[in-house]
Amino acid sequence: MTQKERSFWKVLGLTRSEASSFGLRLWRVCRTLLVGFVLVAGCNILFSMFFYTPKMFRIERANQELLVKYRILRSKITDMSATLDEIKHRDNMVYRPLFGVDTLAIEGIYTPYPHSKYAFLDGDTYSKLISATWHDLDAVTRRIYLQSRSLDELQSLSKDKEKMATAIPAIMPINQKALHGGHIGAFGWRNHPIYHRYIFHKGIDLGSDRGTLVYSSGDGVVSFVNARGTGRRGYGKHIIIDHGFGYKTKYAHLNTVSVTEGQNVKRGEIIGTVGNTGGSTGPHLHYEVLYMGSPVNPLNYFRRDMNSEDFERIVESANTTTFETEHGTNDN
């Protein structure tokens, strides 16, 4: 024992033999405590392997509550999806026909996200339920975005409803009485009579005699006139009218043109006559409706309740109305 150790024990009032006995008892106590701790830990591990501990009961209860919440969430998502179906139906079958506009489409809105987006959920006991719920929630969220955009568009259209009502291309561009046999060349894919291959027909063909009057199907501004009939993929003499609100109409294969670029026209106003210019096999009017730059079926825009008398009244009204062009001259 060193001098410092003897001094330490002397301060405590212990002899050398007493100090040795105290150290031995201290070691035995520490050893007993260590062995006891190891035994308790081992028993706890073995018990938890065969029996639920209070902590495991709390975890299991929390998991069950989480499962119930996920099932409630999925039920709410299903209800929300059904509500969106009702809104979509009213949007497409009521609101949009009222304004005469096509269904809003956003590319990829109904395309599911790849599974890789939910891959981090794999490997868990409840991963199938959780990933399916996330998948459904993402799908509903995108549908909500689509309907929100659609309703925003309808709200914007409703502010100018009166002006829009006369701008929408809603009448046939020729008198129905002048239509040969009542037949209309269909919109969509067809075997072209000249090129003899399937080509997408962007409008409809209205067969009529050369010189039959052609009318503007809605109020607008003449944005383009080809009075010579050259170029533009066989359209011949043709006119494009910008009606605003995303709508344009095209009148092709004309015999004569009665309007100029920049001229304001009214629904039912004479803009030219039926002809056989350009890529045409006989006198007819090729008529297109474009919405936001894309061709749509013109038949969807014709007023179903209009008879010949109604059409003639519109024409008579247009013939008695004059508009100023952007250059300030009158065009009747």
Side-chain angles (χ1 to χ4, degrees), residues 87-246:
I87 295 174
K88 179 183 177 183
H89 178 77
R90 291 198 300 269
D91 185 6
N92 295 338
M93 305 304 294
V94 180
Y95 304 144
R96 289 188 167 271
L98 180 65
F99 290 103
V101 293
D102 281 347
T103 301
L104 177 66
I106 300 178
E107 185 176 357
I109 203 72
Y110 293 107
T111 303
Y113 288 132
H115 180 72
S116 57
K117 183 177 187 296
Y118 314 101
F120 70 96
L121 297 170
D122 292 343
D124 187 85
T125 305
Y126 307 108
S127 60
K128 185 175 181 180
L129 172 64
I130 296 173
S131 61
T133 303
W134 280 38
H135 179 276
D136 293 345
L137 185 60
D138 284 337
V140 167
T141 301
R142 288 181 295 169
R143 290 185 61 193
I144 290 174
Y145 171 73
L146 172 64
Q147 291 305 138
S148 176
R149 285 279 304 275
S150 179
L151 293 176
D152 286 344
E153 182 180 306
L154 291 175
Q155 182 181 21
S156 177
L157 293 173
S158 67
K159 294 178 180 178
D160 297 316
K161 186 175 184 300
E162 183 176 351
K163 182 179 179 182
M164 182 182 178
T166 59
I168 296 297
I171 68 170
M172 288 187 65
I174 65 172
N175 194 321
Q176 296 181 48
K177 295 178 179 179
L179 187 65
H180 283 171
H183 299 298
I184 297 176
F187 171 86
W189 291 98
R190 66 168 188 175
N191 189 12
H192 197 280
I194 294 178
Y195 304 121
H196 301 294
R197 58 189 175 90
Y198 276 89
I199 296 177
F200 187 81
H201 192 223
K202 297 180 179 180
I204 59 174
D205 291 335
L206 305 172
S208 185
D209 294 333
R210 188 192 305 270
T212 300
L213 296 177
V214 176
Y215 307 95
S216 173
S217 56
D219 295 359
V221 179
V222 179
S223 61
F224 180 83
V225 172
N226 184 337
R228 293 186 176 182
T230 57
R232 290 264 173 162
R233 295 179 297 179
Y235 283 126
K237 296 179 182 181
H238 65 282
I239 300 166
I240 298 176
I241 297 177
D242 188 344
H243 302 276
F245 305 98

Side-chain angles (χ1 to χ4, degrees), residues 258-278:
S258 305
V259 292
T260 58
E261 290 185 14
Q263 179 177 336
N264 291 289
V265 292
K266 184 177 175 65
R267 176 182 288 165
E269 183 173 348
I270 297 172
I271 59 174
T273 59
V274 172
N276 190 31
T277 59

